[in-house]
Every structure is written in structure tokens, then in C-alpha cells.
Amino acid sequence: MKKRGSTFKKKQYLAASQSVNQFNRLFSPVSTSEIPLNQQNLLFWMATDATPRTPTSLAKEMHVTKAAITKASSPLIDRGLLEKQPDPEDCRSFKLVLSEEGEQAIEDLGPEYLGNLERLYHELGEKKYLKLIKLLSQATGTLVTE
């Protein structure tokens, strides 16, 4: 009997994994922009708050590693979409801020980038949508290790 329960649990895990994979495939935006999605994610995150932030704080907020922030931010800095500002509290560090060009990129990319989120919001309704986002954020935070 114990073996059957174990098999059932494995099937539940596999079904959950399949659901997560399918959701990711269906949800991931297909961008026509020359800016890769990981960089778009960072730009849109930066647009949520005008406060300059360190790569470490961004990594924590976005549930990714600091290396992922560095990899995404470097090309954006090179393109002038993000700017580096010295951190007045730690002269060895810097903070990132969205530039005017970055703000324009957000404006241009918005409809395409936010399309799936808006569709989910309208289909699920506000209560279920917010619950989904909360659960996904908690799950991601659990799995991310730096």
C-alpha cells in the first residue's frame, strides 16, 4: 500500500511540473523587440519605482540572483536605458536608475509586454489574479537561491 501512495504522490508532482511548464510556455511573452525578455523584465521592474536601487536589492525584489541582474543590466546601461549612480552610502557600490530613454522603451514595449498579464487579470478577475500572483511570488521566492 505504501508503494501505491508513493506512486500517486510522484504522479501529482509530475502533473504539477507539467502544469508549471505549460503555463510558462503559454504565458511567456513572444517579443518582437530587439531587447531580450530578461532585460525587458528589469526595465519594467525599474519602472515600478523611481528610487535608485542596488543590483543586490533588485535581485532580492525580483527573486533572481545578483548575477542575473548584472547580466541583464549591463547591455541596458550600454544602450543608455539604465544609468549607474554611485551609492553615496557605499563608494564601492552603485545604484541603477531608469533613464529617459528607458522610460520611452517602457512606453513602447508596454502593450506587448503586459498583454498576457492583462488577459489573465480580465479572465480570472481581480481576486483570483491577485491570489495567483501572490502564490507564484511565494513559490519563486522559495526556490531562488543566491
Side-chain angles (χ1 to χ4, degrees), residues 65-87:
T65 63
K66 185 179 172 193
I69 297 297
T70 301
K71 184 177 180 180
S73 65
S74 292
L76 295 171
I77 293 166
D78 292 344
R79 293 178 73 158
L81 301 176
L82 287 180
E83 296 173 350
K84 279 172 113 173
Q85 295 179 345
D87 186 346

mmCIF file with all atom_site columns, all heavy atoms in Angstrom, residues 65-87:
data_model
loop_
_atom_site.group_PDB
_atom_site.id
_atom_site.type_symbol
_atom_site.label_atom_id
_atom_site.label_alt_id
_atom_site.label_comp_id
_atom_site.label_asym_id
_atom_site.label_entity_id
_atom_site.label_seq_id
_atom_site.pdbx_PDB_ins_code
_atom_site.Cartn_x
_atom_site.Cartn_y
_atom_site.Cartn_z
_atom_site.occupancy
_atom_site.B_iso_or_equiv
_atom_site.pdbx_formal_charge
_atom_site.auth_seq_id
_atom_site.auth_comp_id
_atom_site.auth_asym_id
_atom_site.auth_atom_id
_atom_site.pdbx_PDB_model_num
ATOM 1   N N   . THR A 1 65 ? 19.004 35.959 -9.024  1.00 0.00 ? 65 THR A N   1
ATOM 2   C CA  . THR A 1 65 ? 20.333 36.132 -8.449  1.00 0.00 ? 65 THR A CA  1
ATOM 3   C C   . THR A 1 65 ? 20.909 37.493 -8.831  1.00 0.00 ? 65 THR A C   1
ATOM 4   O O   . THR A 1 65 ? 20.474 38.112 -9.810  1.00 0.00 ? 65 THR A O   1
ATOM 5   C CB  . THR A 1 65 ? 21.286 35.034 -8.939  1.00 0.00 ? 65 THR A CB  1
ATOM 6   O OG1 . THR A 1 65 ? 21.434 35.162 -10.353 1.00 0.00 ? 65 THR A OG1 1
ATOM 7   C CG2 . THR A 1 65 ? 20.771 33.643 -8.570  1.00 0.00 ? 65 THR A CG2 1
ATOM 8   N N   . LYS A 1 66 ? 21.893 37.919 -8.079  1.00 0.00 ? 66 LYS A N   1
ATOM 9   C CA  . LYS A 1 66 ? 22.580 39.175 -8.401  1.00 0.00 ? 66 LYS A CA  1
ATOM 10  C C   . LYS A 1 66 ? 23.256 39.064 -9.766  1.00 0.00 ? 66 LYS A C   1
ATOM 11  O O   . LYS A 1 66 ? 23.291 40.034 -10.539 1.00 0.00 ? 66 LYS A O   1
ATOM 12  C CB  . LYS A 1 66 ? 23.605 39.504 -7.314  1.00 0.00 ? 66 LYS A CB  1
ATOM 13  C CG  . LYS A 1 66 ? 24.269 40.846 -7.521  1.00 0.00 ? 66 LYS A CG  1
ATOM 14  C CD  . LYS A 1 66 ? 25.265 41.148 -6.421  1.00 0.00 ? 66 LYS A CD  1
ATOM 15  C CE  . LYS A 1 66 ? 26.043 42.402 -6.778  1.00 0.00 ? 66 LYS A CE  1
ATOM 16  N NZ  . LYS A 1 66 ? 27.203 42.570 -5.926  1.00 0.00 ? 66 LYS A NZ  1
ATOM 17  N N   . ALA A 1 67 ? 23.768 37.876 -10.092 1.00 0.00 ? 67 ALA A N   1
ATOM 18  C CA  . ALA A 1 67 ? 24.394 37.657 -11.401 1.00 0.00 ? 67 ALA A CA  1
ATOM 19  C C   . ALA A 1 67 ? 23.395 37.883 -12.529 1.00 0.00 ? 67 ALA A C   1
ATOM 20  O O   . ALA A 1 67 ? 23.747 38.430 -13.586 1.00 0.00 ? 67 ALA A O   1
ATOM 21  C CB  . ALA A 1 67 ? 24.976 36.253 -11.475 1.00 0.00 ? 67 ALA A CB  1
ATOM 22  N N   . ALA A 1 68 ? 22.140 37.493 -12.324 1.00 0.00 ? 68 ALA A N   1
ATOM 23  C CA  . ALA A 1 68 ? 21.111 37.712 -13.348 1.00 0.00 ? 68 ALA A CA  1
ATOM 24  C C   . ALA A 1 68 ? 20.856 39.203 -13.554 1.00 0.00 ? 68 ALA A C   1
ATOM 25  O O   . ALA A 1 68 ? 20.665 39.660 -14.692 1.00 0.00 ? 68 ALA A O   1
ATOM 26  C CB  . ALA A 1 68 ? 19.819 36.995 -12.964 1.00 0.00 ? 68 ALA A CB  1
ATOM 27  N N   . ILE A 1 69 ? 20.883 39.966 -12.476 1.00 0.00 ? 69 ILE A N   1
ATOM 28  C CA  . ILE A 1 69 ? 20.701 41.422 -12.577 1.00 0.00 ? 69 ILE A CA  1
ATOM 29  C C   . ILE A 1 69 ? 21.881 42.030 -13.320 1.00 0.00 ? 69 ILE A C   1
ATOM 30  O O   . ILE A 1 69 ? 21.702 42.870 -14.209 1.00 0.00 ? 69 ILE A O   1
ATOM 31  C CB  . ILE A 1 69 ? 20.541 42.071 -11.183 1.00 0.00 ? 69 ILE A CB  1
ATOM 32  C CG1 . ILE A 1 69 ? 19.286 41.552 -10.485 1.00 0.00 ? 69 ILE A CG1 1
ATOM 33  C CG2 . ILE A 1 69 ? 20.535 43.593 -11.285 1.00 0.00 ? 69 ILE A CG2 1
ATOM 34  C CD1 . ILE A 1 69 ? 17.982 41.888 -11.170 1.00 0.00 ? 69 ILE A CD1 1
ATOM 35  N N   . THR A 1 70 ? 23.077 41.613 -12.985 1.00 0.00 ? 70 THR A N   1
ATOM 36  C CA  . THR A 1 70 ? 24.273 42.126 -13.658 1.00 0.00 ? 70 THR A CA  1
ATOM 37  C C   . THR A 1 70 ? 24.222 41.815 -15.153 1.00 0.00 ? 70 THR A C   1
ATOM 38  O O   . THR A 1 70 ? 24.496 42.685 -15.983 1.00 0.00 ? 70 THR A O   1
ATOM 39  C CB  . THR A 1 70 ? 25.545 41.525 -13.031 1.00 0.00 ? 70 THR A CB  1
ATOM 40  O OG1 . THR A 1 70 ? 25.554 41.876 -11.637 1.00 0.00 ? 70 THR A OG1 1
ATOM 41  C CG2 . THR A 1 70 ? 26.796 42.035 -13.694 1.00 0.00 ? 70 THR A CG2 1
ATOM 42  N N   . LYS A 1 71 ? 23.860 40.588 -15.492 1.00 0.00 ? 71 LYS A N   1
ATOM 43  C CA  . LYS A 1 71 ? 23.795 40.174 -16.895 1.00 0.00 ? 71 LYS A CA  1
ATOM 44  C C   . LYS A 1 71 ? 22.745 40.975 -17.665 1.00 0.00 ? 71 LYS A C   1
ATOM 45  O O   . LYS A 1 71 ? 22.973 41.359 -18.809 1.00 0.00 ? 71 LYS A O   1
ATOM 46  C CB  . LYS A 1 71 ? 23.475 38.676 -16.972 1.00 0.00 ? 71 LYS A CB  1
ATOM 47  C CG  . LYS A 1 71 ? 23.474 38.139 -18.375 1.00 0.00 ? 71 LYS A CG  1
ATOM 48  C CD  . LYS A 1 71 ? 23.225 36.643 -18.393 1.00 0.00 ? 71 LYS A CD  1
ATOM 49  C CE  . LYS A 1 71 ? 23.219 36.117 -19.814 1.00 0.00 ? 71 LYS A CE  1
ATOM 50  N NZ  . LYS A 1 71 ? 22.975 34.682 -19.871 1.00 0.00 ? 71 LYS A NZ  1
ATOM 51  N N   . ALA A 1 72 ? 21.602 41.240 -17.049 1.00 0.00 ? 72 ALA A N   1
ATOM 52  C CA  . ALA A 1 72 ? 20.539 41.982 -17.716 1.00 0.00 ? 72 ALA A CA  1
ATOM 53  C C   . ALA A 1 72 ? 20.826 43.484 -17.760 1.00 0.00 ? 72 ALA A C   1
ATOM 54  O O   . ALA A 1 72 ? 20.483 44.158 -18.737 1.00 0.00 ? 72 ALA A O   1
ATOM 55  C CB  . ALA A 1 72 ? 19.196 41.733 -17.028 1.00 0.00 ? 72 ALA A CB  1
ATOM 56  N N   . SER A 1 73 ? 21.463 44.016 -16.718 1.00 0.00 ? 73 SER A N   1
ATOM 57  C CA  . SER A 1 73 ? 21.642 45.471 -16.642 1.00 0.00 ? 73 SER A CA  1
ATOM 58  C C   . SER A 1 73 ? 22.780 45.991 -17.518 1.00 0.00 ? 73 SER A C   1
ATOM 59  O O   . SER A 1 73 ? 22.689 47.107 -18.046 1.00 0.00 ? 73 SER A O   1
ATOM 60  C CB  . SER A 1 73 ? 21.853 45.910 -15.192 1.00 0.00 ? 73 SER A CB  1
ATOM 61  O OG  . SER A 1 73 ? 23.049 45.404 -14.664 1.00 0.00 ? 73 SER A OG  1
ATOM 62  N N   . SER A 1 74 ? 23.831 45.222 -17.691 1.00 0.00 ? 74 SER A N   1
ATOM 63  C CA  . SER A 1 74 ? 24.986 45.707 -18.461 1.00 0.00 ? 74 SER A CA  1
ATOM 64  C C   . SER A 1 74 ? 24.622 46.175 -19.868 1.00 0.00 ? 74 SER A C   1
ATOM 65  O O   . SER A 1 74 ? 24.975 47.301 -20.255 1.00 0.00 ? 74 SER A O   1
ATOM 66  C CB  . SER A 1 74 ? 26.081 44.639 -18.511 1.00 0.00 ? 74 SER A CB  1
ATOM 67  O OG  . SER A 1 74 ? 26.624 44.466 -17.227 1.00 0.00 ? 74 SER A OG  1
ATOM 68  N N   . PRO A 1 75 ? 23.892 45.377 -20.662 1.00 0.00 ? 75 PRO A N   1
ATOM 69  C CA  . PRO A 1 75 ? 23.522 45.858 -22.003 1.00 0.00 ? 75 PRO A CA  1
ATOM 70  C C   . PRO A 1 75 ? 22.563 47.061 -21.957 1.00 0.00 ? 75 PRO A C   1
ATOM 71  O O   . PRO A 1 75 ? 22.606 47.921 -22.831 1.00 0.00 ? 75 PRO A O   1
ATOM 72  C CB  . PRO A 1 75 ? 22.829 44.655 -22.652 1.00 0.00 ? 75 PRO A CB  1
ATOM 73  C CG  . PRO A 1 75 ? 23.171 43.485 -21.824 1.00 0.00 ? 75 PRO A CG  1
ATOM 74  C CD  . PRO A 1 75 ? 23.505 43.979 -20.469 1.00 0.00 ? 75 PRO A CD  1
ATOM 75  N N   . LEU A 1 76 ? 21.728 47.108 -20.920 1.00 0.00 ? 76 LEU A N   1
ATOM 76  C CA  . LEU A 1 76 ? 20.797 48.236 -20.793 1.00 0.00 ? 76 LEU A CA  1
ATOM 77  C C   . LEU A 1 76 ? 21.547 49.528 -20.463 1.00 0.00 ? 76 LEU A C   1
ATOM 78  O O   . LEU A 1 76 ? 21.173 50.603 -20.931 1.00 0.00 ? 76 LEU A O   1
ATOM 79  C CB  . LEU A 1 76 ? 19.736 47.930 -19.724 1.00 0.00 ? 76 LEU A CB  1
ATOM 80  C CG  . LEU A 1 76 ? 18.791 46.777 -20.059 1.00 0.00 ? 76 LEU A CG  1
ATOM 81  C CD1 . LEU A 1 76 ? 17.931 46.427 -18.848 1.00 0.00 ? 76 LEU A CD1 1
ATOM 82  C CD2 . LEU A 1 76 ? 17.932 47.108 -21.269 1.00 0.00 ? 76 LEU A CD2 1
ATOM 83  N N   . ILE A 1 77 ? 22.585 49.413 -19.678 1.00 0.00 ? 77 ILE A N   1
ATOM 84  C CA  . ILE A 1 77 ? 23.442 50.566 -19.378 1.00 0.00 ? 77 ILE A CA  1
ATOM 85  C C   . ILE A 1 77 ? 24.157 51.003 -20.654 1.00 0.00 ? 77 ILE A C   1
ATOM 86  O O   . ILE A 1 77 ? 24.197 52.198 -20.977 1.00 0.00 ? 77 ILE A O   1
ATOM 87  C CB  . ILE A 1 77 ? 24.445 50.230 -18.253 1.00 0.00 ? 77 ILE A CB  1
ATOM 88  C CG1 . ILE A 1 77 ? 23.695 50.010 -16.931 1.00 0.00 ? 77 ILE A CG1 1
ATOM 89  C CG2 . ILE A 1 77 ? 25.504 51.317 -18.109 1.00 0.00 ? 77 ILE A CG2 1
ATOM 90  C CD1 . ILE A 1 77 ? 24.513 49.362 -15.837 1.00 0.00 ? 77 ILE A CD1 1
ATOM 91  N N   . ASP A 1 78 ? 24.697 50.025 -21.393 1.00 0.00 ? 78 ASP A N   1
ATOM 92  C CA  . ASP A 1 78 ? 25.403 50.328 -22.647 1.00 0.00 ? 78 ASP A CA  1
ATOM 93  C C   . ASP A 1 78 ? 24.498 51.031 -23.652 1.00 0.00 ? 78 ASP A C   1
ATOM 94  O O   . ASP A 1 78 ? 24.948 51.897 -24.408 1.00 0.00 ? 78 ASP A O   1
ATOM 95  C CB  . ASP A 1 78 ? 25.965 49.047 -23.280 1.00 0.00 ? 78 ASP A CB  1
ATOM 96  C CG  . ASP A 1 78 ? 27.090 48.431 -22.456 1.00 0.00 ? 78 ASP A CG  1
ATOM 97  O OD1 . ASP A 1 78 ? 27.650 49.126 -21.581 1.00 0.00 ? 78 ASP A OD1 1
ATOM 98  O OD2 . ASP A 1 78 ? 27.381 47.237 -22.690 1.00 0.00 ? 78 ASP A OD2 1
ATOM 99  N N   . ARG A 1 79 ? 23.218 50.671 -23.659 1.00 0.00 ? 79 ARG A N   1
ATOM 100 C CA  . ARG A 1 79 ? 22.251 51.277 -24.594 1.00 0.00 ? 79 ARG A CA  1
ATOM 101 C C   . ARG A 1 79 ? 21.682 52.593 -24.079 1.00 0.00 ? 79 ARG A C   1
ATOM 102 O O   . ARG A 1 79 ? 20.914 53.248 -24.782 1.00 0.00 ? 79 ARG A O   1
ATOM 103 C CB  . ARG A 1 79 ? 21.100 50.314 -24.839 1.00 0.00 ? 79 ARG A CB  1
ATOM 104 C CG  . ARG A 1 79 ? 21.508 49.068 -25.587 1.00 0.00 ? 79 ARG A CG  1
ATOM 105 C CD  . ARG A 1 79 ? 20.348 48.163 -25.731 1.00 0.00 ? 79 ARG A CD  1
ATOM 106 N NE  . ARG A 1 79 ? 19.451 48.735 -26.734 1.00 0.00 ? 79 ARG A NE  1
ATOM 107 C CZ  . ARG A 1 79 ? 18.568 48.041 -27.401 1.00 0.00 ? 79 ARG A CZ  1
ATOM 108 N NH1 . ARG A 1 79 ? 18.448 46.754 -27.186 1.00 0.00 ? 79 ARG A NH1 1
ATOM 109 N NH2 . ARG A 1 79 ? 17.793 48.626 -28.284 1.00 0.00 ? 79 ARG A NH2 1
ATOM 110 N N   . GLY A 1 80 ? 22.007 52.952 -22.846 1.00 0.00 ? 80 GLY A N   1
ATOM 111 C CA  . GLY A 1 80 ? 21.509 54.201 -22.271 1.00 0.00 ? 80 GLY A CA  1
ATOM 112 C C   . GLY A 1 80 ? 20.107 54.091 -21.700 1.00 0.00 ? 80 GLY A C   1
ATOM 113 O O   . GLY A 1 80 ? 19.468 55.111 -21.431 1.00 0.00 ? 80 GLY A O   1
ATOM 114 N N   . LEU A 1 81 ? 19.592 52.879 -21.497 1.00 0.00 ? 81 LEU A N   1
ATOM 115 C CA  . LEU A 1 81 ? 18.246 52.699 -20.956 1.00 0.00 ? 81 LEU A CA  1
ATOM 116 C C   . LEU A 1 81 ? 18.242 52.692 -19.427 1.00 0.00 ? 81 LEU A C   1
ATOM 117 O O   . LEU A 1 81 ? 17.237 53.019 -18.803 1.00 0.00 ? 81 LEU A O   1
ATOM 118 C CB  . LEU A 1 81 ? 17.623 51.412 -21.498 1.00 0.00 ? 81 LEU A CB  1
ATOM 119 C CG  . LEU A 1 81 ? 17.512 51.341 -23.027 1.00 0.00 ? 81 LEU A CG  1
ATOM 120 C CD1 . LEU A 1 81 ? 16.968 49.991 -23.467 1.00 0.00 ? 81 LEU A CD1 1
ATOM 121 C CD2 . LEU A 1 81 ? 16.667 52.476 -23.571 1.00 0.00 ? 81 LEU A CD2 1
ATOM 122 N N   . LEU A 1 82 ? 19.376 52.306 -18.845 1.00 0.00 ? 82 LEU A N   1
ATOM 123 C CA  . LEU A 1 82 ? 19.594 52.404 -17.405 1.00 0.00 ? 82 LEU A CA  1
ATOM 124 C C   . LEU A 1 82 ? 20.850 53.227 -17.179 1.00 0.00 ? 82 LEU A C   1
ATOM 125 O O   . LEU A 1 82 ? 21.741 53.244 -18.021 1.00 0.00 ? 82 LEU A O   1
ATOM 126 C CB  . LEU A 1 82 ? 19.804 51.025 -16.772 1.00 0.00 ? 82 LEU A CB  1
ATOM 127 C CG  . LEU A 1 82 ? 18.623 50.088 -16.617 1.00 0.00 ? 82 LEU A CG  1
ATOM 128 C CD1 . LEU A 1 82 ? 19.069 48.776 -15.964 1.00 0.00 ? 82 LEU A CD1 1
ATOM 129 C CD2 . LEU A 1 82 ? 17.498 50.715 -15.818 1.00 0.00 ? 82 LEU A CD2 1
ATOM 130 N N   . GLU A 1 83 ? 20.896 53.874 -16.026 1.00 0.00 ? 83 GLU A N   1
ATOM 131 C CA  . GLU A 1 83 ? 22.087 54.633 -15.658 1.00 0.00 ? 83 GLU A CA  1
ATOM 132 C C   . GLU A 1 83 ? 22.600 54.129 -14.322 1.00 0.00 ? 83 GLU A C   1
ATOM 133 O O   . GLU A 1 83 ? 21.824 53.717 -13.457 1.00 0.00 ? 83 GLU A O   1
ATOM 134 C CB  . GLU A 1 83 ? 21.747 56.121 -15.548 1.00 0.00 ? 83 GLU A CB  1
ATOM 135 C CG  . GLU A 1 83 ? 21.300 56.733 -16.865 1.00 0.00 ? 83 GLU A CG  1
ATOM 136 C CD  . GLU A 1 83 ? 20.798 58.161 -16.717 1.00 0.00 ? 83 GLU A CD  1
ATOM 137 O OE1 . GLU A 1 83 ? 20.604 58.631 -15.565 1.00 0.00 ? 83 GLU A OE1 1
ATOM 138 O OE2 . GLU A 1 83 ? 20.578 58.799 -17.760 1.00 0.00 ? 83 GLU A OE2 1
ATOM 139 N N   . LYS A 1 84 ? 23.927 54.163 -14.178 1.00 0.00 ? 84 LYS A N   1
ATOM 140 C CA  . LYS A 1 84 ? 24.580 53.817 -12.910 1.00 0.00 ? 84 LYS A CA  1
ATOM 141 C C   . LYS A 1 84 ? 24.821 55.101 -12.139 1.00 0.00 ? 84 LYS A C   1
ATOM 142 O O   . LYS A 1 84 ? 25.313 56.069 -12.692 1.00 0.00 ? 84 LYS A O   1
ATOM 143 C CB  . LYS A 1 84 ? 25.932 53.172 -13.175 1.00 0.00 ? 84 LYS A CB  1
ATOM 144 C CG  . LYS A 1 84 ? 25.906 51.725 -13.535 1.00 0.00 ? 84 LYS A CG  1
ATOM 145 C CD  . LYS A 1 84 ? 27.288 51.281 -13.969 1.00 0.00 ? 84 LYS A CD  1
ATOM 146 C CE  . LYS A 1 84 ? 27.909 50.321 -13.041 1.00 0.00 ? 84 LYS A CE  1
ATOM 147 N NZ  . LYS A 1 84 ? 29.186 49.772 -13.539 1.00 0.00 ? 84 LYS A NZ  1
ATOM 148 N N   . GLN A 1 85 ? 24.482 55.085 -10.868 1.00 0.00 ? 85 GLN A N   1
ATOM 149 C CA  . GLN A 1 85 ? 24.764 56.210 -9.989  1.00 0.00 ? 85 GLN A CA  1
ATOM 150 C C   . GLN A 1 85 ? 25.599 55.700 -8.817  1.00 0.00 ? 85 GLN A C   1
ATOM 151 O O   . GLN A 1 85 ? 25.285 54.638 -8.266  1.00 0.00 ? 85 GLN A O   1
ATOM 152 C CB  . GLN A 1 85 ? 23.471 56.827 -9.442  1.00 0.00 ? 85 GLN A CB  1
ATOM 153 C CG  . GLN A 1 85 ? 22.587 57.456 -10.473 1.00 0.00 ? 85 GLN A CG  1
ATOM 154 C CD  . GLN A 1 85 ? 21.311 58.024 -9.842  1.00 0.00 ? 85 GLN A CD  1
ATOM 155 O OE1 . GLN A 1 85 ? 20.958 57.718 -8.714  1.00 0.00 ? 85 GLN A OE1 1
ATOM 156 N NE2 . GLN A 1 85 ? 20.625 58.846 -10.599 1.00 0.00 ? 85 GLN A NE2 1
ATOM 157 N N   . PRO A 1 86 ? 26.643 56.415 -8.447  1.00 0.00 ? 86 PRO A N   1
ATOM 158 C CA  . PRO A 1 86 ? 27.423 55.987 -7.280  1.00 0.00 ? 86 PRO A CA  1
ATOM 159 C C   . PRO A 1 86 ? 26.526 55.916 -6.047  1.00 0.00 ? 86 PRO A C   1
ATOM 160 O O   . PRO A 1 86 ? 25.631 56.744 -5.873  1.00 0.00 ? 86 PRO A O   1
ATOM 161 C CB  . PRO A 1 86 ? 28.473 57.079 -7.112  1.00 0.00 ? 86 PRO A CB  1
ATOM 162 C CG  . PRO A 1 86 ? 28.462 57.855 -8.376  1.00 0.00 ? 86 PRO A CG  1
ATOM 163 C CD  . PRO A 1 86 ? 27.127 57.663 -9.025  1.00 0.00 ? 86 PRO A CD  1
ATOM 164 N N   . ASP A 1 87 ? 26.747 54.925 -5.224  1.00 0.00 ? 87 ASP A N   1
ATOM 165 C CA  . ASP A 1 87 ? 25.989 54.786 -3.984  1.00 0.00 ? 87 ASP A CA  1
ATOM 166 C C   . ASP A 1 87 ? 26.652 55.661 -2.929  1.00 0.00 ? 87 ASP A C   1
ATOM 167 O O   . ASP A 1 87 ? 27.782 55.389 -2.519  1.00 0.00 ? 87 ASP A O   1
ATOM 168 C CB  . ASP A 1 87 ? 25.983 53.314 -3.549  1.00 0.00 ? 87 ASP A CB  1
ATOM 169 C CG  . ASP A 1 87 ? 25.100 53.063 -2.339  1.00 0.00 ? 87 ASP A CG  1
ATOM 170 O OD1 . ASP A 1 87 ? 24.689 54.030 -1.667  1.00 0.00 ? 87 ASP A OD1 1
ATOM 171 O OD2 . ASP A 1 87 ? 24.825 51.883 -2.062  1.00 0.00 ? 87 ASP A OD2 1
#
